Amino acid sequence: MPDLTPFETPLGATLLKVCGATSGVDVSALADGGADLIGLWHGVSGGHADLDRARLTELAAAAVARGRTPVLVTFTGDPAAVADALTESGIGVVQLHGYQAPPVVRAIKATGATVVKVLHVDGAVSHEQRLLRSYRRAGVDVFLLDAVGADGGVGSTGREIDPAVALSVAEAADAPFLLAGGISATNAARFAAVRAHPQFLGIDVDSAARDANGHLAVTRVAAIRQAWHEAGEEAA
């Protein structure tokens, strides 16, 4: 059975995960805005929000102090490095971006972490389509559907997934899932059918939670939460 403890939510509620905090101010902004989970980058080479181990540990503690769940977001395929980062930071949830193979997932799951595996959706297909069963057997608890960028890049692309495609991938994955890719305060209605899926847990946001200067903003986070919460209440 998947470990969904960090993702438990009242019926009809939509979990909100926001990525890319790099300071205590960011963590406070996300907590004040209503984010449930705070994504902390580590092992994202060249990423604008990549954290060293000390800062990862500091911000994870800050998130917990505000009653939020920190999530280690990483591109690394080294299970030992992930295990060390989880142990040192005290984080219990890891989100695997990139194309880690199922054996890597299995090794990371063996640490006892809750594992979120990103499925990279390119047009009408997921790059990991043929590996879905293997990922589930390896111990993936939650999938996260995210769009591949126009240049083939992955992570924080700001591109939407077509709702029909998201539903198709979710059906094939046959597991609890989060939705990413251009999520904002204005498109909750567009994803009504996805929100109604019985295994939909919530949304993952980065770009839309930032102001014109690129800073995580309380007002933007709160607007996203309000829009998707109201949409979830209507669906319930």
Side-chain angles (χ1 to χ4, degrees):
M1 293 291 292
D3 179 7
L4 297 181
T5 304
F7 299 94
E8 290 177 350
T9 180
L11 180 65
T14 296
L15 283 171
L16 172 59
K17 175 178 171 288
V18 182
C19 264
T22 60
S23 68
V25 171
D26 284 346
V27 170
S28 293
L30 297 184
D32 291 342
D36 302 290
L37 303 104
I38 296 178
L40 303 173
W41 294 14
H42 177 69
V44 183
S45 181
H48 68 86
D50 194 39
L51 306 170
D52 62 25
R53 193 73 62 81
R55 181 54 66 88
L56 174 72
T57 301
E58 174 190 342
L59 297 188
V64 171
R66 291 299 306 272
R68 301 308 192 256
T69 299
V71 178
L72 171 62
V73 178
T74 188
F75 278 73
T76 186
D78 180 350
V82 173
D84 287 347
L86 290 171
T87 298
E88 185 172 329
S89 66
I91 295 175
V93 185
V94 58
Q95 177 177 313
L96 301 175
H97 258 286
Y99 299 100
Q100 297 91 345
V104 172
V105 174
R106 183 176 295 108
I108 292 171
K109 182 61 185 176
T111 67
T114 296
V115 176
V116 180
K117 178 68 188 78
V118 175
L119 300 180
H120 302 92
V121 180
D122 192 358
V125 297
S126 164
H127 287 177
E128 294 86 357
Q129 193 82 7
R130 64 183 181 82
L131 295 174
L132 291 174
R133 287 187 179 180
S134 296
Y135 278 133
R136 291 198 301 269
R137 287 196 298 266
V140 168
D141 297 289
V142 175
F143 286 113
L144 188 154
L145 282 53
D146 197 11
V148 174
D151 59 355
V154 297
S156 298
T157 65
R159 300 185 78 193
E160 281 190 20
I161 301 173
D162 182 275
V165 173
L167 279 173
S168 176
V169 174
E171 283 296 311
D174 191 26
F177 70 96
L178 297 164
L179 179 68
I183 300 300
S184 71
T186 63
N187 60 5
R190 172 168 160 76
F191 291 97
V194 178
R195 289 187 285 100
H197 192 284
Q199 300 205 80
F200 171 73
L201 296 175
I203 54 175
D204 184 28
V205 181
D206 185 342
S207 303
R210 299 178 183 275
D211 62 22
N213 295 315
H215 301 140
L216 292 167
V218 173
T219 54
R220 297 220 172 184
V221 175
I224 295 167
R225 180 168 184 88
Q226 181 68 17
W228 284 75
H229 177 69
E230 289 179 352
E233 283 188 329
E234 291 171 5

